[in-house]
Amino acid sequence: MTEMKRKDTIEITVNEAGFEYDIHSLVKAFYPAGNVKVSAMPCGPEKEPDLSGADMAFQFTKGAVLLFLKKEESKTASFAAEKSSEDNLFEENYFVEKLSADLSDEPPRPEVKNRIKRLIYEALSRDTGRQLPWGTLTGIRPVKIPMTLLEEGKAEPEIIACMKKNYLISDEKADLALKIARREKALLETLHYENGYSLYIGIPFCPTTCLYCSFTSYPLVSWKKRVGEYLDALEKEIDYAAKSHRGKILDTIYIGGGTPTTLEPFQMQRLLEKIKGSFDLSHLKEFTVEAGRADSITPEKMEVLKRSGVTRISVNPQTMKQETLDLIGRRHTVEQVKEAFAMARSAGFSNINMDIILGLPGENAGDVRHTIEEIRKLNPDSLTVHSLAIKRASKLSQWIAENGISALNNTEETMEITAKGAAGMGMEPYYLYRQKNMSGNFENVGYAREGKFGIYNILIMEEKQNIVALGAGSISKRLFPGGRIERCENVKEVAQYIERIDEMIERKRKLLED
C-alpha cells in the first residue's frame, strides 16, 4: 500500500463516528496520490468492522484501537515484524495490529483524538517508511499551539518538548512554530482586541483563472459591464459596516480577491474614497491591497493606491519560470512581473510583498533557486512561500487526473532553498498556516523584514480579533468571550451578491450585533 499502485482509491471504515475527518486527513498525508474515503459504520465495540472492500479499518474498543490493513502481494511482513505475536494477528487478507490507545482513564475527547492520531501515525509511518514533518497535526493553524502555551507562561524548552511528544512533529517544525509564535505574540500585543476590528474587502475578478485557484474569482471579461453594480452593492455593505462599528478602532484593512487591481483606476479611486469617507482611519496600522497579477498593474493604478493611503501591496509572480506561468494560466511574462514591481517602487511603495508557490507542475529545485535569485534582484520587503495545495474546485485536480501527481514536487530541499533565500534578503518568518492536500505535507510561510510584517495575515490565522468581511464570497468572524468563534458568509456568485445585498447585510447584523 505504500505507493498505492494497486488502485487509486483507499477505502476506510470506522466503527465509531466522530473521528472521520482526522483519520481522512492523516491517511491522505501518508498516501497523497490516493483518493481517501472514510465511512463510519457503527457496529458495536465488541464486533469486527465490515471489511468488505476496505483497504483499512479502525475498530475502537475499550482502551484500544484495532488497525486492519489490507495485505498486498508485494507486501512483506515487515509491518508486523517488530511487534510480539500477541499484538499482531494474521488473517487471510489483513494485518491486524492492536494499538494500545490508553483510554482507560477516560480522557476528554480532544485528548482521545490526539492519542488515536499518534497511534495511527506510528502504524502508517512503519507501513510507508515515511515521517511527516508536522507529525499528526492536520489543522491549518499549528502556531496556535505554541502561542497558547506562551500565553500560559510555559517556558520555551517545555513548549518544544510538548509539541514533539504530543504531535510527533520534527525538531525543525517545532522550532519554526515557536519562533513564529513568539514574533506574532509581540506584534499582536499592539492591537485592540476588545474594542478593535479589521476590515476585509473582496474584489472577485481576475484577468484569468489560474490552474490551482479555488478562491472566489471570475474572469473580468465576463463581468466588465457589471463592475459598477458590484461596487454599488459593496458600498451598501460598507455603509452598514461603518455605521455598526462607529466608535470601534479599525486596526487593519485588507483588499483581496480575486485581483483588486483588475478595477480600472477610476473604479479603484471610487472604492478607496468610499473607504476613507466612511471609516475612521486614524488608528490604522496597515492598509494592504493585493495587486497580485502583473498583467493588472499600471502606473495609474499604483498612483491611485499610493495617493489613497495604501501602505502595503503584493506583486505575486508565483514563479519566475515562463513555461510554468504559461501552464498555470497566468497569461503574463516574467518581464512583466519585473516591470510591475518597478512601477510599485516608482510610485513610492516601501512595503511590497511577493508570493511564490512551491510544487507547481514540472518544477524542480533548480527552478526554485532561479525564482529566488530573480526575486532577490528585485529586493521585495516580504516574501510569502506557499506549498501548492490541491483543491477539488480547481482546474489542477483535472490536470492531475490527466498527468499524474508525480509532476508536483515539493521537498525539504525546495523549502530550505526559500528559507535561506528569505534569510539572505534580511527576512524572518512571521506567520504560518497549512492547508489540506499540500504538496509534500509542508506549510505556507510568510517572511518579512523588521517593520514590514503583514499584520492582517497574522490576525486571520490567530483569530484574535473580529474580522468584518465585505464582498462576494467573504467570511466575517466574531470572537466571543472564552474563545468561541462564529462566522457568516456572503454568497460567492457575483450576481447573487448584487441581487441579495440586503440579505448579506442582515446576516452580518445578526452575527455582529445580536
Side-chain angles (χ1 to χ4, degrees):
M1 187 176 293
T2 302
E3 298 181 0
M4 292 311 299
K5 292 181 179 179
R6 179 170 46 80
K7 64 176 183 177
D8 294 328
T9 300
I10 305 173
E11 298 280 355
I12 303 171
T13 63
V14 188
N15 74 324
E16 181 178 326
F19 299 102
E20 296 95 323
Y21 176 83
D22 295 284
I23 290 173
H24 179 279
S25 299
L26 196 51
V27 173
K28 182 70 174 177
F30 277 102
Y31 307 108
N35 177 24
V36 179
K37 296 182 178 181
V38 183
S39 302
M41 304 180 67
C43 55
E46 305 304 328
K47 297 181 181 179
E48 290 188 359
D50 181 5
L51 299 179
S52 57
D55 297 282
M56 295 183 201
F58 297 98
Q59 178 188 6
F60 295 90
T61 65
K62 187 173 182 180
V65 181
L66 296 183
L67 165 63
F68 293 75
L69 186 67
K70 181 171 283 188
K71 298 177 183 177
E72 295 183 30
E73 291 181 4
S74 60
K75 196 78 177 171
T76 68
S78 61
F79 175 74
E82 297 179 5
K83 305 289 284 187
S84 65
S85 59
E86 64 179 6
D87 289 328
N88 286 279
L89 309 173
F90 286 86
E91 296 186 347
E92 184 176 349
N93 297 313
Y94 291 87
F95 295 118
V96 185
E97 182 171 0
K98 183 177 181 182
L99 307 172
S100 177
D102 189 22
L103 306 179
S104 57
D105 57 344
E106 298 184 357
R109 191 168 183 82
E111 177 58 21
V112 171
K113 181 182 72 174
N114 285 336
R115 294 184 190 184
I116 290 170
K117 287 175 71 174
R118 286 196 294 271
L119 294 166
I120 293 172
Y121 176 94
E122 290 166 354
L124 298 186
S125 182
R126 286 197 303 277
D127 183 46
T128 61
R130 293 182 60 204
Q131 291 185 327
L132 304 179
W134 287 99
T136 66
L137 291 178
T138 53
I140 67 173
R141 297 177 174 88
V143 177
K144 287 180 77 73
I145 296 169
M147 175 74 81
T148 299
L149 295 174
L150 282 173
E151 291 173 341
E152 292 174 356
K154 297 289 193 299
E156 294 191 1
E158 184 181 0
I159 294 173
I160 293 289
C162 172
M163 295 186 73
K164 291 174 62 178
K165 177 183 177 182
N166 292 339
Y167 307 106
L168 308 180
I169 74 173
S170 69
D171 291 337
E172 293 77 13
K173 299 308 178 188
D175 289 339
L176 177 63
L178 178 58
K179 180 185 294 185
I180 290 174
R182 191 190 312 125
R183 183 165 287 111
E184 286 185 350
K185 185 172 181 294
L187 288 168
L188 292 175
E189 285 173 351
T190 68
L191 300 182
H192 306 87
Y193 288 167
E194 294 185 8
N195 197 41
Y197 70 105
S198 285
L199 182 69
Y200 174 86
I201 296 175
I203 305 298
F205 310 114
C206 274
T208 57
T209 301
C210 297
L211 183 71
Y212 51 78
C213 185
S214 64
F215 290 114
T216 302
S217 66
Y218 300 89
L220 181 64
V221 66
S222 302
W223 290 94
K224 200 170 185 66
K225 294 181 179 180
R226 299 195 68 185
V227 172
E229 293 179 65
Y230 182 79
L231 292 178
D232 290 341
L234 193 54
E235 286 181 350
K236 289 187 71 173
E237 230 184 344
I238 288 173
D239 286 338
Y240 162 74
K243 181 179 179 181
S244 63
H245 287 73
R246 190 168 291 129
K248 294 185 179 296
I249 296 173
L250 178 57
D251 278 317
T252 73
I253 300 175
Y254 194 104
I255 302 180
T259 306
T261 41
T262 52
L263 297 180
E264 295 295 334
F266 75 92
Q267 294 167 335
M268 182 65 75
Q269 180 77 41
R270 171 186 170 181
L271 174 60
L272 294 172
E273 287 299 323
K274 180 65 177 179
I275 292 170
K276 289 167 63 179
S278 301
F279 297 95
D280 177 4
L281 307 186
S282 62
H283 298 282
L284 200 65
K285 296 182 180 300
E286 175 184 278
F287 193 160
T288 298
V289 173
E290 284 274 355
R293 293 274 292 262
D295 47 351
S296 72
I297 295 173
T298 67
E300 295 78 15
K301 293 178 185 179
M302 292 297 99
E303 181 183 349
V304 168
L305 295 177
K306 184 63 178 174
R307 187 174 62 242
S308 299
V310 173
T311 60
R312 181 178 180 272
I313 65 169
S314 286
V315 179
N316 301 332
Q318 314 304 14
T319 176
M320 296 297 253
K321 182 180 179 181
Q322 188 61 53
E323 294 86 347
T324 307
L325 290 174
D326 296 339
L327 175 61
I328 64 178
R330 292 291 281 187
R331 304 290 174 86
H332 61 72
T333 66
V334 170
E335 196 58 36
Q336 281 179 290
V337 173
K338 298 176 182 178
E339 292 169 357
F341 189 92
M343 288 179 205
R345 281 290 193 230
S346 296
F349 283 102
S350 59
N351 193 350
I352 305 176
N353 174 72
M354 300 190 85
D355 282 11
I356 63 172
I357 300 176
L358 304 185
L360 288 170
E363 291 214 341
N364 56 33
D367 298 319
V368 175
R369 285 193 187 92
H370 171 73
T371 290
I372 289 295
E373 177 57 23
E374 292 300 302
I375 287 175
R376 185 193 63 77
K377 294 175 185 176
L378 295 175
N379 196 30
D381 306 286
S382 60
L383 175 69
T384 305
V385 178
H386 297 270
S387 296
L388 181 68
I390 303 165
K391 302 292 189 178
R392 285 181 296 176
S394 71
K395 297 177 184 177
L396 180 61
S397 294
Q398 180 60 38
W399 188 92
I400 291 171
E402 296 172 358
N403 297 276
I405 200 170
S406 60
L408 310 180
N409 190 29
N410 191 19
T411 64
E412 288 277 9
E413 181 183 11
T414 52
M415 295 294 291
E416 184 66 17
I417 289 168
T418 57
K420 287 183 176 179
M425 290 183 275
M427 300 177 188
E428 295 285 345
Y430 76 95
Y431 94 109
L432 178 155
Y433 70 101
R434 305 185 69 228
Q435 295 170 276
K436 290 184 64 177
N437 304 329
M438 296 189 80
S439 178
N441 196 244
F442 291 110
E443 66 278 340
N444 303 324
V445 184
Y447 299 90
R449 295 185 178 125
E450 190 66 38
K452 308 295 183 179
F453 306 114
I455 300 172
Y456 179 85
N457 291 333
I458 300 172
L459 283 169
I460 203 69
M461 285 298 111
E462 295 308 315
E463 299 180 318
K464 297 288 188 179
Q465 188 182 65
N466 287 355
I467 305 291
V468 180
L470 316 178
S474 65
I475 303 174
S476 296
K477 297 180 184 179
R478 181 181 177 184
L479 277 65
F480 291 84
R484 180 169 61 91
I485 299 173
E486 291 190 8
R487 298 169 172 83
C488 76
E489 300 182 19
N490 281 349
V491 292
K492 294 182 178 181
E493 212 278 320
V494 175
Q496 286 291 305
Y497 171 78
I498 294 171
E499 293 167 13
R500 298 165 60 188
I501 185 59
D502 291 336
E503 178 190 335
M504 302 302 102
I505 292 171
E506 179 60 18
R507 289 183 184 184
K508 280 189 178 53
R509 189 196 66 75
K510 289 182 177 179
L511 173 70
L512 299 171
E513 297 180 29
D514 288 358

PDB file of all heavy atoms in Angstrom, residues 45 91 96 119 155 263 277 281 362 454:
ATOM      1  N   PRO A  45     -18.751  -1.990  19.989  1.00  0.00           N
ATOM      2  CA  PRO A  45     -17.348  -2.072  20.371  1.00  0.00           C
ATOM      3  C   PRO A  45     -16.768  -3.472  20.340  1.00  0.00           C
ATOM      4  O   PRO A  45     -15.565  -3.627  20.236  1.00  0.00           O
ATOM      5  CB  PRO A  45     -17.328  -1.483  21.778  1.00  0.00           C
ATOM      6  CG  PRO A  45     -18.716  -1.685  22.287  1.00  0.00           C
ATOM      7  CD  PRO A  45     -19.608  -1.552  21.108  1.00  0.00           C
ATOM      8  N   GLU A  91      -4.615 -12.605   9.510  1.00  0.00           N
ATOM      9  CA  GLU A  91      -5.776 -13.248   8.928  1.00  0.00           C
ATOM     10  C   GLU A  91      -5.490 -13.473   7.453  1.00  0.00           C
ATOM     11  O   GLU A  91      -4.408 -13.142   6.954  1.00  0.00           O
ATOM     12  CB  GLU A  91      -7.011 -12.373   9.139  1.00  0.00           C
ATOM     13  CG  GLU A  91      -7.361 -12.221  10.612  1.00  0.00           C
ATOM     14  CD  GLU A  91      -8.672 -11.477  10.815  1.00  0.00           C
ATOM     15  OE1 GLU A  91      -9.164 -10.882   9.833  1.00  0.00           O
ATOM     16  OE2 GLU A  91      -9.188 -11.519  11.934  1.00  0.00           O
ATOM     17  N   VAL A  96      -3.519  -7.288  11.271  1.00  0.00           N
ATOM     18  CA  VAL A  96      -4.306  -6.682  12.349  1.00  0.00           C
ATOM     19  C   VAL A  96      -3.350  -6.309  13.464  1.00  0.00           C
ATOM     20  O   VAL A  96      -2.620  -7.153  13.972  1.00  0.00           O
ATOM     21  CB  VAL A  96      -5.374  -7.667  12.895  1.00  0.00           C
ATOM     22  CG1 VAL A  96      -6.241  -6.945  13.916  1.00  0.00           C
ATOM     23  CG2 VAL A  96      -6.217  -8.226  11.759  1.00  0.00           C
ATOM     24  N   LEU A 119      -1.237   6.956  17.414  1.00  0.00           N
ATOM     25  CA  LEU A 119      -1.150   5.523  17.141  1.00  0.00           C
ATOM     26  C   LEU A 119      -1.275   5.233  15.642  1.00  0.00           C
ATOM     27  O   LEU A 119      -0.532   4.427  15.084  1.00  0.00           O
ATOM     28  CB  LEU A 119      -2.243   4.786  17.916  1.00  0.00           C
ATOM     29  CG  LEU A 119      -2.071   4.837  19.438  1.00  0.00           C
ATOM     30  CD1 LEU A 119      -3.345   4.384  20.126  1.00  0.00           C
ATOM     31  CD2 LEU A 119      -0.904   3.985  19.876  1.00  0.00           C
ATOM     32  N   ALA A 155       7.619  27.770  29.596  1.00  0.00           N
ATOM     33  CA  ALA A 155       8.974  28.030  29.124  1.00  0.00           C
ATOM     34  C   ALA A 155       9.166  27.420  27.741  1.00  0.00           C
ATOM     35  O   ALA A 155       8.542  26.409  27.403  1.00  0.00           O
ATOM     36  CB  ALA A 155       9.997  27.451  30.098  1.00  0.00           C
ATOM     37  N   LEU A 263      -9.708  46.286 -11.230  1.00  0.00           N
ATOM     38  CA  LEU A 263     -10.512  47.506 -11.307  1.00  0.00           C
ATOM     39  C   LEU A 263      -9.758  48.564 -12.101  1.00  0.00           C
ATOM     40  O   LEU A 263      -8.536  48.687 -12.004  1.00  0.00           O
ATOM     41  CB  LEU A 263     -10.814  48.037  -9.905  1.00  0.00           C
ATOM     42  CG  LEU A 263     -11.651  47.160  -8.966  1.00  0.00           C
ATOM     43  CD1 LEU A 263     -11.842  47.869  -7.631  1.00  0.00           C
ATOM     44  CD2 LEU A 263     -12.991  46.789  -9.584  1.00  0.00           C
ATOM     45  N   GLY A 277     -13.929  57.903   3.344  1.00  0.00           N
ATOM     46  CA  GLY A 277     -15.012  58.748   3.803  1.00  0.00           C
ATOM     47  C   GLY A 277     -15.949  58.083   4.786  1.00  0.00           C
ATOM     48  O   GLY A 277     -16.775  58.766   5.417  1.00  0.00           O
ATOM     49  N   LEU A 281      -9.852  56.228  10.049  1.00  0.00           N
ATOM     50  CA  LEU A 281      -8.581  55.556   9.753  1.00  0.00           C
ATOM     51  C   LEU A 281      -7.431  56.079  10.615  1.00  0.00           C
ATOM     52  O   LEU A 281      -6.270  55.752  10.367  1.00  0.00           O
ATOM     53  CB  LEU A 281      -8.224  55.734   8.270  1.00  0.00           C
ATOM     54  CG  LEU A 281      -9.290  55.324   7.240  1.00  0.00           C
ATOM     55  CD1 LEU A 281      -8.725  55.437   5.821  1.00  0.00           C
ATOM     56  CD2 LEU A 281      -9.820  53.923   7.498  1.00  0.00           C
ATOM     57  N   GLY A 362       5.879  20.314 -12.804  1.00  0.00           N
ATOM     58  CA  GLY A 362       7.135  20.209 -13.536  1.00  0.00           C
ATOM     59  C   GLY A 362       8.306  20.945 -12.930  1.00  0.00           C
ATOM     60  O   GLY A 362       9.435  20.819 -13.415  1.00  0.00           O
ATOM     61  N   GLY A 454       3.104  41.523   7.715  1.00  0.00           N
ATOM     62  CA  GLY A 454       1.700  41.666   7.337  1.00  0.00           C
ATOM     63  C   GLY A 454       0.806  41.369   8.536  1.00  0.00           C
ATOM     64  O   GLY A 454       0.535  40.200   8.831  1.00  0.00           O
TER      65      GLY A 454
END
